[in-house]
Amino acid sequence: MVTRHSQIRLYIDAPLHEGAVVALGRDHAHYLHVVMRKSEGTQLAIFNGRDGCFLAEITQLTRKSGEVICQSLQEAQWYGPDLWLLFAPVKKARLDFMAQKATELGASVIWPVRTDYCQIKAIKDERLTANAIEAAEQTERLDLPEIRAFSDLDTLLDDWPEDRALLFCDERISGDHNYDAARILPRIIEKKAAILIGPEGGFSMAEKAKIDAVKNVYSLSLGPRILRADTAALSALSLYQALCGDWSK
Ligand code: SAH
């Protein structure tokens, strides 16, 4: 729930079109009425991740409920690059951070994976989703990243889609210039890509062998220093966006 350029932007999961009347959930009503001190007649922007962003007006509002009407399309729907982030989850606060920042940096899929040295046993999908929504509101992207269920890396690799480049961020080749991003990333012509980041303990030898055997794998060094998993994820996303994603032409 974000205000920028003095316009509030809300993500609401309901069909949006001109004239659509949309109910506000309790959280949104509370935010608008109590936090932002808004009332009937206030304009705001709403988006649902698929129908574009609409200029809307509040028609009813109390602390607990409310309604808005969509007036006009403000921005047509657009989507960022087809870029997945696969990562072994880290502890709570840094996981929140990872989901927020990956959304800001334009990941289309956020996919926690279970690896041999991963310390986390379970994660809350709804928490990842809440962080992604907040970041999408903030960053003015119109699509939401898809949050996939915590899955075994092993199973995922068995079924790796042939048309998707797997960018294997491997701490063992850190600093080896043969694997510099500027050398590797321009070779990805498929455009569909997935970044793979390991846990704090790194990847096991068995995992490394299996990853290396994927048809479309590209090993990537993120420089001479060993980064923490969240820093590594954000660095790789930024490099991809700059060299082959939507920061470049
Ligand atoms: N315990 C490991 C470090 C793991 S860092 C060790 O000390 O070697 C967590 C993850 O971040 C790694 O699995 C890798 O995917 C990524 N990473 C960190 N630094 C990197 C680098 N310089 N190059 C490529 N990947 C890196």
PDB file of all heavy atoms in Angstrom, residues 13 18 28 31 39 51 60 63 68 73 87 99 119 131 168 173 182 193 204 219 231-232 248:
ATOM      1  N   ASP A  13      -6.909  -8.058  -5.938  1.00  0.00           N
ATOM      2  CA  ASP A  13      -7.112  -9.222  -6.792  1.00  0.00           C
ATOM      3  C   ASP A  13      -8.593  -9.358  -7.165  1.00  0.00           C
ATOM      4  O   ASP A  13      -9.311 -10.171  -6.601  1.00  0.00           O
ATOM      5  CB  ASP A  13      -6.605 -10.482  -6.076  1.00  0.00           C
ATOM      6  CG  ASP A  13      -6.651 -11.688  -7.006  1.00  0.00           C
ATOM      7  OD1 ASP A  13      -6.809 -11.499  -8.222  1.00  0.00           O
ATOM      8  OD2 ASP A  13      -6.541 -12.822  -6.495  1.00  0.00           O
ATOM      9  N   GLU A  18     -13.195  -0.454 -16.899  1.00  0.00           N
ATOM     10  CA  GLU A  18     -13.875   0.822 -16.646  1.00  0.00           C
ATOM     11  C   GLU A  18     -15.258   0.586 -16.067  1.00  0.00           C
ATOM     12  O   GLU A  18     -16.008  -0.227 -16.595  1.00  0.00           O
ATOM     13  CB  GLU A  18     -13.990   1.603 -17.960  1.00  0.00           C
ATOM     14  CG  GLU A  18     -12.895   2.652 -18.069  1.00  0.00           C
ATOM     15  CD  GLU A  18     -13.003   3.450 -19.352  1.00  0.00           C
ATOM     16  OE1 GLU A  18     -14.123   3.873 -19.719  1.00  0.00           O
ATOM     17  OE2 GLU A  18     -11.954   3.645 -19.971  1.00  0.00           O
ATOM     18  N   HIS A  28      -7.098  -2.845   3.430  1.00  0.00           N
ATOM     19  CA  HIS A  28      -7.080  -1.660   2.564  1.00  0.00           C
ATOM     20  C   HIS A  28      -7.957  -0.550   3.143  1.00  0.00           C
ATOM     21  O   HIS A  28      -7.596   0.627   3.119  1.00  0.00           O
ATOM     22  CB  HIS A  28      -7.550  -2.016   1.153  1.00  0.00           C
ATOM     23  CG  HIS A  28      -6.472  -2.671   0.327  1.00  0.00           C
ATOM     24  ND1 HIS A  28      -6.742  -3.490  -0.741  1.00  0.00           N
ATOM     25  CD2 HIS A  28      -5.124  -2.616   0.421  1.00  0.00           C
ATOM     26  CE1 HIS A  28      -5.607  -3.910  -1.276  1.00  0.00           C
ATOM     27  NE2 HIS A  28      -4.607  -3.399  -0.586  1.00  0.00           N
ATOM     28  N   TYR A  31      -6.200   0.997   6.038  1.00  0.00           N
ATOM     29  CA  TYR A  31      -5.075   1.813   5.551  1.00  0.00           C
ATOM     30  C   TYR A  31      -5.575   3.160   5.002  1.00  0.00           C
ATOM     31  O   TYR A  31      -5.055   4.228   5.361  1.00  0.00           O
ATOM     32  CB  TYR A  31      -4.326   1.031   4.469  1.00  0.00           C
ATOM     33  CG  TYR A  31      -3.284   1.833   3.728  1.00  0.00           C
ATOM     34  CD1 TYR A  31      -2.075   2.180   4.336  1.00  0.00           C
ATOM     35  CD2 TYR A  31      -3.499   2.238   2.404  1.00  0.00           C
ATOM     36  CE1 TYR A  31      -1.121   2.911   3.654  1.00  0.00           C
ATOM     37  CE2 TYR A  31      -2.537   2.965   1.719  1.00  0.00           C
ATOM     38  CZ  TYR A  31      -1.357   3.308   2.353  1.00  0.00           C
ATOM     39  OH  TYR A  31      -0.411   4.033   1.673  1.00  0.00           O
ATOM     40  N   SER A  39     -11.196   9.685   2.333  1.00  0.00           N
ATOM     41  CA  SER A  39     -12.649   9.500   2.418  1.00  0.00           C
ATOM     42  C   SER A  39     -13.214   9.388   1.007  1.00  0.00           C
ATOM     43  O   SER A  39     -12.460   9.415   0.027  1.00  0.00           O
ATOM     44  CB  SER A  39     -13.272  10.685   3.163  1.00  0.00           C
ATOM     45  OG  SER A  39     -12.829  11.878   2.549  1.00  0.00           O
ATOM     46  N   ASP A  51      -4.811  -6.800 -15.638  1.00  0.00           N
ATOM     47  CA  ASP A  51      -5.692  -5.931 -16.438  1.00  0.00           C
ATOM     48  C   ASP A  51      -5.172  -4.506 -16.589  1.00  0.00           C
ATOM     49  O   ASP A  51      -5.913  -3.628 -17.035  1.00  0.00           O
ATOM     50  CB  ASP A  51      -7.091  -5.878 -15.796  1.00  0.00           C
ATOM     51  CG  ASP A  51      -7.790  -7.228 -15.821  1.00  0.00           C
ATOM     52  OD1 ASP A  51      -7.539  -8.005 -16.762  1.00  0.00           O
ATOM     53  OD2 ASP A  51      -8.576  -7.516 -14.900  1.00  0.00           O
ATOM     54  N   GLN A  60     -17.219   4.449  -1.128  1.00  0.00           N
ATOM     55  CA  GLN A  60     -17.668   4.193   0.254  1.00  0.00           C
ATOM     56  C   GLN A  60     -16.448   3.867   1.076  1.00  0.00           C
ATOM     57  O   GLN A  60     -15.557   3.164   0.579  1.00  0.00           O
ATOM     58  CB  GLN A  60     -18.538   2.934   0.307  1.00  0.00           C
ATOM     59  CG  GLN A  60     -19.943   3.087  -0.146  1.00  0.00           C
ATOM     60  CD  GLN A  60     -20.623   1.709  -0.086  1.00  0.00           C
ATOM     61  OE1 GLN A  60     -20.417   0.926   0.830  1.00  0.00           O
ATOM     62  NE2 GLN A  60     -21.410   1.425  -1.112  1.00  0.00           N
ATOM     63  N   ARG A  63     -13.800   2.277   8.557  1.00  0.00           N
ATOM     64  CA  ARG A  63     -12.550   1.692   9.038  1.00  0.00           C
ATOM     65  C   ARG A  63     -12.389   0.242   8.605  1.00  0.00           C
ATOM     66  O   ARG A  63     -11.295  -0.266   8.523  1.00  0.00           O
ATOM     67  CB  ARG A  63     -12.539   1.738  10.577  1.00  0.00           C
ATOM     68  CG  ARG A  63     -11.989   3.031  11.135  1.00  0.00           C
ATOM     69  CD  ARG A  63     -11.825   2.949  12.631  1.00  0.00           C
ATOM     70  NE  ARG A  63     -13.046   2.489  13.295  1.00  0.00           N
ATOM     71  CZ  ARG A  63     -13.107   1.462  14.128  1.00  0.00           C
ATOM     72  NH1 ARG A  63     -12.038   0.799  14.431  1.00  0.00           N
ATOM     73  NH2 ARG A  63     -14.236   1.114  14.691  1.00  0.00           N
ATOM     74  N   VAL A  68     -14.484   0.970  -4.246  1.00  0.00           N
ATOM     75  CA  VAL A  68     -13.974   1.958  -5.206  1.00  0.00           C
ATOM     76  C   VAL A  68     -14.587   1.654  -6.566  1.00  0.00           C
ATOM     77  O   VAL A  68     -15.024   0.527  -6.814  1.00  0.00           O
ATOM     78  CB  VAL A  68     -12.424   1.914  -5.316  1.00  0.00           C
ATOM     79  CG1 VAL A  68     -11.767   2.239  -3.995  1.00  0.00           C
ATOM     80  CG2 VAL A  68     -11.923   0.580  -5.846  1.00  0.00           C
ATOM     81  N   LEU A  73      -8.469   3.565 -17.587  1.00  0.00           N
ATOM     82  CA  LEU A  73      -7.191   2.855 -17.626  1.00  0.00           C
ATOM     83  C   LEU A  73      -6.071   3.894 -17.591  1.00  0.00           C
ATOM     84  O   LEU A  73      -6.020   4.793 -18.418  1.00  0.00           O
ATOM     85  CB  LEU A  73      -7.093   2.026 -18.914  1.00  0.00           C
ATOM     86  CG  LEU A  73      -5.846   1.150 -19.048  1.00  0.00           C
ATOM     87  CD1 LEU A  73      -5.846   0.031 -18.014  1.00  0.00           C
ATOM     88  CD2 LEU A  73      -5.764   0.558 -20.452  1.00  0.00           C
ATOM     89  N   PHE A  87      16.248 -20.155  -5.371  1.00  0.00           N
ATOM     90  CA  PHE A  87      17.215 -19.949  -4.295  1.00  0.00           C
ATOM     91  C   PHE A  87      16.895 -20.843  -3.104  1.00  0.00           C
ATOM     92  O   PHE A  87      15.734 -21.159  -2.835  1.00  0.00           O
ATOM     93  CB  PHE A  87      17.213 -18.476  -3.842  1.00  0.00           C
ATOM     94  CG  PHE A  87      15.906 -18.059  -3.237  1.00  0.00           C
ATOM     95  CD1 PHE A  87      15.755 -17.993  -1.862  1.00  0.00           C
ATOM     96  CD2 PHE A  87      14.814 -17.766  -4.042  1.00  0.00           C
ATOM     97  CE1 PHE A  87      14.528 -17.639  -1.294  1.00  0.00           C
ATOM     98  CE2 PHE A  87      13.586 -17.420  -3.484  1.00  0.00           C
ATOM     99  CZ  PHE A  87      13.443 -17.350  -2.112  1.00  0.00           C
ATOM    100  N   ALA A  99      12.489 -11.521  -1.116  1.00  0.00           N
ATOM    101  CA  ALA A  99      11.252 -11.476  -1.912  1.00  0.00           C
ATOM    102  C   ALA A  99      10.944 -10.041  -2.361  1.00  0.00           C
ATOM    103  O   ALA A  99      10.546  -9.803  -3.507  1.00  0.00           O
ATOM    104  CB  ALA A  99      10.082 -12.029  -1.088  1.00  0.00           C
ATOM    105  N   GLN A 119      19.250 -25.136   5.341  1.00  0.00           N
ATOM    106  CA  GLN A 119      18.922 -25.307   6.763  1.00  0.00           C
ATOM    107  C   GLN A 119      17.445 -25.101   7.048  1.00  0.00           C
ATOM    108  O   GLN A 119      16.966 -25.429   8.122  1.00  0.00           O
ATOM    109  CB  GLN A 119      19.709 -24.276   7.609  1.00  0.00           C
ATOM    110  CG  GLN A 119      21.212 -24.375   7.476  1.00  0.00           C
ATOM    111  CD  GLN A 119      21.745 -25.696   8.026  1.00  0.00           C
ATOM    112  OE1 GLN A 119      21.299 -26.158   9.058  1.00  0.00           O
ATOM    113  NE2 GLN A 119      22.678 -26.310   7.308  1.00  0.00           N
ATOM    114  N   ASN A 131       5.078  -9.909   0.818  1.00  0.00           N
ATOM    115  CA  ASN A 131       6.260  -9.087   0.535  1.00  0.00           C
ATOM    116  C   ASN A 131       6.342  -8.700  -0.937  1.00  0.00           C
ATOM    117  O   ASN A 131       6.715  -7.579  -1.279  1.00  0.00           O
ATOM    118  CB  ASN A 131       7.529  -9.840   0.940  1.00  0.00           C
ATOM    119  CG  ASN A 131       7.809  -9.673   2.413  1.00  0.00           C
ATOM    120  OD1 ASN A 131       8.119  -8.572   2.864  1.00  0.00           O
ATOM    121  ND2 ASN A 131       7.659 -10.729   3.177  1.00  0.00           N
ATOM    122  N   PHE A 168      23.836 -20.697 -13.281  1.00  0.00           N
ATOM    123  CA  PHE A 168      24.296 -21.360 -12.068  1.00  0.00           C
ATOM    124  C   PHE A 168      25.330 -20.470 -11.376  1.00  0.00           C
ATOM    125  O   PHE A 168      26.473 -20.363 -11.828  1.00  0.00           O
ATOM    126  CB  PHE A 168      24.883 -22.715 -12.474  1.00  0.00           C
ATOM    127  CG  PHE A 168      25.563 -23.467 -11.372  1.00  0.00           C
ATOM    128  CD1 PHE A 168      25.177 -23.332 -10.038  1.00  0.00           C
ATOM    129  CD2 PHE A 168      26.594 -24.352 -11.683  1.00  0.00           C
ATOM    130  CE1 PHE A 168      25.817 -24.046  -9.034  1.00  0.00           C
ATOM    131  CE2 PHE A 168      27.239 -25.073 -10.680  1.00  0.00           C
ATOM    132  CZ  PHE A 168      26.850 -24.913  -9.354  1.00  0.00           C
ATOM    133  N   ILE A 173      33.705 -20.848  -8.552  1.00  0.00           N
ATOM    134  CA  ILE A 173      34.407 -20.198  -9.660  1.00  0.00           C
ATOM    135  C   ILE A 173      34.451 -18.680  -9.456  1.00  0.00           C
ATOM    136  O   ILE A 173      34.722 -17.931 -10.399  1.00  0.00           O
ATOM    137  CB  ILE A 173      33.732 -20.524 -11.020  1.00  0.00           C
ATOM    138  CG1 ILE A 173      32.222 -20.254 -10.924  1.00  0.00           C
ATOM    139  CG2 ILE A 173      34.026 -21.950 -11.435  1.00  0.00           C
ATOM    140  CD1 ILE A 173      31.581 -20.037 -12.252  1.00  0.00           C
ATOM    141  N   ALA A 182      29.874 -10.348 -17.863  1.00  0.00           N
ATOM    142  CA  ALA A 182      29.959  -9.647 -19.150  1.00  0.00           C
ATOM    143  C   ALA A 182      30.318 -10.609 -20.285  1.00  0.00           C
ATOM    144  O   ALA A 182      30.016 -10.350 -21.444  1.00  0.00           O
ATOM    145  CB  ALA A 182      30.994  -8.537 -19.059  1.00  0.00           C
ATOM    146  N   ALA A 193      15.244 -17.304 -18.722  1.00  0.00           N
ATOM    147  CA  ALA A 193      16.377 -17.686 -17.882  1.00  0.00           C
ATOM    148  C   ALA A 193      15.937 -17.928 -16.452  1.00  0.00           C
ATOM    149  O   ALA A 193      14.857 -17.499 -16.020  1.00  0.00           O
ATOM    150  CB  ALA A 193      17.442 -16.595 -17.935  1.00  0.00           C
ATOM    151  N   SER A 204      26.347 -29.097  -2.782  1.00  0.00           N
ATOM    152  CA  SER A 204      27.126 -30.324  -2.573  1.00  0.00           C
ATOM    153  C   SER A 204      27.758 -30.746  -3.906  1.00  0.00           C
ATOM    154  O   SER A 204      27.337 -30.284  -4.971  1.00  0.00           O
ATOM    155  CB  SER A 204      26.215 -31.437  -2.045  1.00  0.00           C
ATOM    156  OG  SER A 204      25.306 -31.837  -3.062  1.00  0.00           O
ATOM    157  N   SER A 219      27.515 -21.457 -16.077  1.00  0.00           N
ATOM    158  CA  SER A 219      28.078 -21.128 -14.766  1.00  0.00           C
ATOM    159  C   SER A 219      28.436 -19.653 -14.750  1.00  0.00           C
ATOM    160  O   SER A 219      28.919 -19.110 -15.746  1.00  0.00           O
ATOM    161  CB  SER A 219      29.327 -21.955 -14.501  1.00  0.00           C
ATOM    162  OG  SER A 219      28.968 -23.302 -14.364  1.00  0.00           O
ATOM    163  N   THR A 231      22.648 -11.257  -1.132  1.00  0.00           N
ATOM    164  CA  THR A 231      23.432 -10.332  -1.958  1.00  0.00           C
ATOM    165  C   THR A 231      23.686 -10.952  -3.334  1.00  0.00           C
ATOM    166  O   THR A 231      23.612 -10.269  -4.368  1.00  0.00           O
ATOM    167  CB  THR A 231      24.789 -10.020  -1.295  1.00  0.00           C
ATOM    168  OG1 THR A 231      24.600  -9.850   0.095  1.00  0.00           O
ATOM    169  CG2 THR A 231      25.434  -8.806  -1.903  1.00  0.00           C
ATOM    170  N   ALA A 232      23.989 -12.258  -3.340  1.00  0.00           N
ATOM    171  CA  ALA A 232      24.254 -12.951  -4.605  1.00  0.00           C
ATOM    172  C   ALA A 232      23.018 -12.898  -5.506  1.00  0.00           C
ATOM    173  O   ALA A 232      23.120 -12.612  -6.711  1.00  0.00           O
ATOM    174  CB  ALA A 232      24.670 -14.396  -4.331  1.00  0.00           C
ATOM    175  N   SER A 248      18.395  -3.106 -20.469  1.00  0.00           N
ATOM    176  CA  SER A 248      19.055  -2.890 -21.765  1.00  0.00           C
ATOM    177  C   SER A 248      17.943  -2.822 -22.807  1.00  0.00           C
ATOM    178  O   SER A 248      16.783  -3.013 -22.493  1.00  0.00           O
ATOM    179  CB  SER A 248      20.023  -4.027 -22.059  1.00  0.00           C
ATOM    180  OG  SER A 248      19.322  -5.259 -22.058  1.00  0.00           O
TER     181      SER A 248
END
